[in-house]
Amino acid sequence: MGSTAWAKKTLQGWGRFPRVETECARPERRTELLRAFQERGAAPVLAYGLGRSYGDAPLLREGRQILTSRLNRMLAFDPETGWLRCEAGVSLVDIIDVFLPRGFFPPVVPGTQFVTVGGALCNNIHGKNHHLEGCWGDHVRRVEVLLGSGEIVFCDAQTNPELFWATTGGLGLTGIILSMEVQLYPVANASIEMETVRVNNLDEFFEVSKESADYSHTVSWIDCVQSGPTMGRGIFMRGGHARQGVDAGSSVMDELAGFAQKHVDGRLFESNLLLNKATIRAFNEAYFHKTPAGVQKVVSDYMPFFFPLDAVQNWNYAYGSRGFLQYQMVVPEREACREILEIVSKSGMASFLAIIKEFGEQTHGGLSFPEPGVTLALDFPNFGAPLLEMLDRLDEIVVDVGGRIYLGKDARLSRENFRKMYPEWEKWKAVRDEWDPEQVFQSELGRRLGLVG
Amino acid sequence: MVILILGATSAIARSVAEQYAGAGHPIVLGARDIEAAEAVAADIQIRFEVDTWAKQFDALDTESHADFVADIEAEAGAIDVVLLAFGDMGDQEESERDFAQAKRVIDINYTGAASLAEAVASRMSERGEGSIIGISSVAGDRGRKSNYFYGSAKGAFSLYLQGLRNRLSEHGVHVMTAKLGFVDTRMTFGMETPIPIASPDAVGKAIMRAQQAGVEVLYYPHFWRGVMGIIKAIPEKVFKRLSI
């Protein structure tokens, strides 16, 4: 057996900003992973999965990164209970492909299925069912972690509970996750029964959201170019896995997704000119009016419901070589949300993709993002200084009302504001420092926010 | 149809195993690292719901090969397809300094492979059916200064398979030589290659398709047949001065 092959590679998050050149290894089995870890020298380490975190959370300059994409074996599955034990590099698309035909679905899914279970735990991801099911970590027991000392330990709610707590949402900074047990949930079929409700402004959104609390999944697209009386208009979607015997018709959405999957690659459109306020306004206008007013019942495939953007490979390239930033925040007060939308719509920096949802009552602690309130996710082409200034301004509003932004999507938050947003950071860091006293695990985000060192 | 895959923890072997398991065949996986083989076996069992076995296999322990094959056939049934996917590139410079290293490369890639193939071949020829797939390399088509120990062992293995094919053809046993160019595996990770790299997934599909079609020599990606045709045709005098 030769020693570890290290290769210099340029890694980036999904926003393609920033990019770093770093020494990488891509182990294919556990012994190779352990060897790479030993052979890193004194360098700090960070695991890298499928790169769907947006900003600098998955990146490490002047260190060693371990690519986990080939550590993707499923190790045990109990069809009675739905518990799956698998390596950290297993992706949600793998799980869905294997288990959906057998009537199981991951407990929580984000907007893309191209994430690893390791990344899902590190970011403690949430989905359209947060108000009922919480986050990924709420459905995980027994996590196997490679510590900075080289020791491998298990943690869960009973064994090493502090490590389990800090690893869930811990952005990969407590160790390299080797495997975990996650509970898959039974579903009757692959289709989604849903309703779309056109809402004409933010007040209507909150009304519909309130009366939709019993639907297992809710999410809304919002037209963030609008201001004044139409501010917050959008399409509210609610529903969930269909009952037995209800099948997806070939809806226009399905067909479009199928076409895009076969023929469209975002790299073809890589241009700094494509997404600007005019094109985004035109798209929003068309999308809003395409959906009939009132409530529509639809049966769709699970793909366009859960993962609409996965249909276009590399859609992140459409923002051009400068990349883009996503700003996702949660605020406990609606007025703050209104204020933020107001600022964005007046800024001239339109967000192509704007998603709004009310979280459930659960908070998860540590560095996990969701808390009760309304969350808004906005994508901005990387316009540079004016954008960064506006986002700083938004941070102040978020901090003032006791909200926070999602670290898995961040590339620019200040240390000071981070500390105000995540009051448990000190407790988290104390646990991390206890388990990684040598500061072996680091990331650009960790360094920026003072989580390591 | 029982499929035996040796060197089962490599990305290529795993992909081939997935193709056959996807078609519903039981899979026996042999590898030196039994823990890794067990993980691959569990993965394939869960994903494809076929019977799988993980067995410890050491290419260098040629004494054990006949029993190894006999045990598998006793447990899983007659082997219909065997894939010889193990191999080790070694380190050329180390092999030049230390012949023990060179011998190891030769023994894994050639002696061990021939020994195992022979153990399976005798059983298959008795039954009058079966398929033996040997993973060789385009590196075996012409000796090069940068990897001639590995290349010569793979070249010898290719010649061995050619002879075996010759011998077994009248017994209804198919022998396929898969000559692979650059594949995105552990061996090539980080290498700057002048020619695009194939994904293990594509290689796995190509190997199963070719085996089912009865192909004798598969170059994959296919253009490697042409590339190697040219490289083999370069006169020695000229070749010596090129750094290919």
Side-chain angles (χ1 to χ4, degrees):
Chain A
M1 277 298 146
S3 49
T4 304
W6 295 99
K8 234 185 202 352
K9 292 200 177 284
T10 300
L11 296 184
Q12 56 188 16
W14 190 242
R16 304 178 68 218
F17 168 80
R19 288 167 218 170
V20 308
E21 203 179 63
T22 186
E23 292 280 342
C24 301
R26 189 187 60 192
E28 295 192 346
R29 53 185 120 138
R30 176 181 283 248
T31 46
E32 286 173 21
L33 166 64
L34 300 180
R35 190 183 319 119
F37 184 75
Q38 296 304 336
E39 290 177 358
R40 76 187 190 277
V45 184
L46 186 68
Y48 182 94
L50 290 170
R52 254 61 178 192
S53 294
Y54 282 70
D56 56 0
L59 307 177
L60 176 63
R61 257 179 254 272
E62 282 151 31
R64 303 276 176 148
Q65 293 213 242
I66 295 190
L67 312 184
T68 60
S69 58
R70 297 242 166 135
L71 299 167
N72 64 341
R73 290 162 196 91
M74 298 183 183
L75 302 170
F77 179 66
D78 182 348
E80 299 294 316
T81 59
W83 281 100
L84 172 71
R85 182 159 66 87
C86 63
E87 292 182 330
V90 167
S91 65
L92 296 196
V93 64
D94 275 350
I95 292 178
I96 293 167
D97 283 353
V98 170
F99 293 106
L100 185 54
R102 294 181 217 172
F104 288 97
F105 204 75
V108 167
V109 296
T112 171
Q113 53 183 345
F114 301 118
V115 300
T116 65
V117 297
L121 187 69
C122 285
N123 290 287
N124 205 15
I125 59 166
H126 60 270
K128 297 173 175 55
N129 56 352
H130 178 270
H131 56 290
L132 297 177
E133 298 296 340
C135 286
W136 183 265
D138 298 320
H139 307 269
V140 167
R141 67 175 187 203
R142 260 172 88 80
V143 180
E144 190 186 18
V145 185
L146 172 63
L147 301 175
S149 61
E151 194 190 342
I152 294 169
V153 296
F154 286 92
C155 61
D156 58 29
Q158 282 79 41
T159 315
N160 301 320
E162 291 203 323
L163 178 64
F164 181 64
W165 173 82
T167 300
T168 303
L171 302 157
L173 296 172
T174 56
I176 295 177
I177 297 169
L178 299 177
S179 70
M180 73 181 70
E181 289 177 39
V182 58
Q183 176 136 51
L184 308 184
Y185 280 88
V187 293
N189 77 35
S191 306
I192 299 294
E193 277 181 270
M194 70 161 181
E195 294 174 359
T196 61
V197 188
R198 208 163 90 172
V199 298
N200 293 303
N201 55 47
L202 203 57
D203 290 329
E204 274 188 42
F205 163 79
F206 286 118
E207 277 166 38
V208 176
S209 180
K210 192 175 174 196
E211 71 197 34
S212 305
D214 292 340
Y215 289 81
S216 64
H217 294 72
T218 64
V219 70
S220 294
W221 165 82
I222 188 171
D223 177 352
C224 67
V225 180
Q226 301 298 314
S227 59
T230 56
M231 190 185 74
R233 75 175 190 181
I235 315 292
F236 193 102
M237 284 161 272
R238 61 192 184 194
H241 298 279
R243 293 155 296 168
Q244 202 147 18
V246 179
D247 294 317
S250 188
S251 73
V252 177
M253 238 165 140
D254 292 353
E255 279 173 24
L256 261 178
F259 175 83
Q261 231 157 359
K262 282 192 202 96
H263 304 286
V264 184
D265 187 317
R267 287 175 196 254
L268 298 174
F269 302 103
E270 180 169 0
S271 157
N272 291 351
L273 304 172
L274 181 65
L275 293 176
N276 54 51
K277 187 154 184 176
T279 59
I280 291 169
R281 182 184 285 279
F283 169 83
N284 283 359
E285 201 64 33
Y287 191 76
F288 181 75
H289 288 290
K290 191 196 81 161
T291 311
V295 181
Q296 306 288 317
K297 286 184 191 295
V298 190
V299 180
S300 90
D301 187 62
Y302 72 95
M303 279 284 294
F305 181 71
F306 284 120
F307 315 117
L309 288 165
D310 282 354
V312 182
Q313 275 184 50
N314 301 310
W315 63 261
N316 54 336
Y317 278 72
Y319 285 93
S321 56
R322 62 197 166 177
F324 70 103
L325 287 94
Q326 180 161 102
Y327 189 80
Q328 180 167 7
M329 55 72 178
V330 54
V331 283
E333 285 174 26
R334 293 172 178 184
E335 279 315 302
C337 185
R338 201 181 299 277
E339 204 180 329
I340 283 171
L341 279 171
E342 203 71 67
I343 291 172
V344 170
S345 89
K346 282 181 184 151
S347 73
M349 289 179 282
S351 165
F352 178 62
L353 189 83
I355 300 295
I356 187 168
K357 175 181 165 64
E358 285 193 284
F359 279 140
E361 288 306 308
Q362 298 99 320
T363 47
H364 306 269
L367 302 184
S368 293
F369 169 64
E371 64 174 7
V374 49
T375 180
L376 186 62
L378 305 164
D379 282 343
F380 298 97
N382 182 6
F383 293 116
L387 175 66
L388 297 177
E389 279 163 27
M390 180 180 76
L391 297 182
D392 285 345
R393 221 177 123 199
L394 302 188
D395 285 346
E396 298 303 329
I397 297 169
V398 172
V399 165
D400 280 349
V401 295
R404 56 172 60 143
I405 73 164
Y406 192 177
L407 301 179
K409 295 182 170 178
D410 177 48
R412 29 69 45 196
L413 179 65
S414 73
R415 191 175 290 197
E416 292 64 36
N417 278 331
F418 160 70
R419 290 181 174 179
K420 292 180 197 155
M421 291 174 179
Y422 286 88
E424 285 194 79
W425 76 272
E426 276 178 298
K427 184 180 157 202
W428 179 89
K429 189 167 187 309
V431 175
R432 180 204 123 83
D433 287 351
E434 188 192 326
W435 286 90
D436 183 16
E438 309 288 324
Q439 311 286 324
V440 170
F441 300 104
Q442 304 203 9
S443 68
E444 290 306 301
L445 177 133
R447 290 167 176 174
R448 174 163 56 82
L449 299 181
L451 294 169
V452 297
Chain B
M1 240 174 61
V2 174
I3 317 296
L4 170 62
I5 294 182
L6 300 163
T9 55
S10 82
I12 292 170
R14 191 177 163 207
S15 164
V16 173
E18 285 177 359
Q19 300 310 319
Y20 283 97
H25 302 301
I27 309 284
V28 186
L29 300 157
R32 201 171 39 155
D33 182 346
I34 183 68
E35 221 177 289
E38 278 165 354
V40 176
D43 182 68
I44 288 180
Q45 200 281 323
I46 292 168
R47 285 178 196 249
F48 302 101
E49 300 182 293
V50 295
D51 287 335
T52 59
W53 291 265
K55 299 281 174 193
Q56 189 143 35
F57 169 74
D58 184 353
L60 292 172
D61 184 11
T62 53
E63 298 274 300
S64 71
H65 288 178
D67 287 346
F68 175 78
V69 171
D71 289 350
I72 285 169
E73 294 215 329
E75 198 178 332
I79 297 162
D80 294 284
V81 178
V82 61
L83 175 80
L84 302 146
F86 55 86
D88 195 332
M89 216 171 206
D91 183 287
Q92 173 67 21
E93 285 173 27
E94 225 174 274
S95 294
E96 288 168 20
R97 280 196 304 272
D98 175 5
F99 190 73
Q101 293 301 321
K103 184 167 182 302
R104 197 171 164 278
V105 170
I106 295 165
D107 283 347
I108 291 174
N109 292 293
Y110 178 54
T111 320
S115 155
L116 195 281
E118 211 55 32
V120 179
S122 60
R123 290 167 170 268
M124 284 183 173
S125 70
E126 264 172 45
R127 293 195 289 267
E129 60 183 11
S131 198
I132 297 172
I133 310 167
I135 300 220
S136 190
S137 168
V138 295
D141 279 5
R142 181 141 200 182
R144 295 157 58 219
K145 65 180 170 193
S146 61
N147 65 358
Y148 61 82
F149 286 109
Y150 175 74
S152 64
K154 284 295 191 189
F157 184 43
S158 293
L159 268 184
Y160 164 81
L161 290 169
Q162 196 175 38
L164 186 67
R165 178 157 48 239
N166 204 283
R167 173 189 142 206
L168 294 183
S169 64
E170 61 190 84
H171 298 282
V173 179
H174 166 234
V175 178
M176 181 168 103
T177 314
K179 295 189 179 181
L180 304 182
F182 297 125
V183 184
D184 186 12
T185 61
R186 195 177 155 265
M187 273 190 200
T188 56
F189 181 73
M191 252 165 68
E192 297 280 328
T193 55
I195 295 175
I197 288 189
S199 75
D201 192 46
V203 173
K205 286 184 179 131
I207 287 176
M208 182 165 95
R209 220 171 20 232
Q211 181 267 322
Q212 288 174 338
V215 168
E216 299 189 328
V217 179
L218 168 73
Y219 277 89
Y220 195 85
H222 301 295
F223 60 76
W224 277 93
R225 187 184 288 275
V227 171
M228 293 319 294
I230 294 164
I231 288 178
K232 281 195 284 190
I234 300 171
E236 195 74 32
K237 269 190 183 166
V238 179
F239 195 77
K240 276 195 293 193
R241 281 182 273 126
L242 300 172
S243 51
I244 292 176

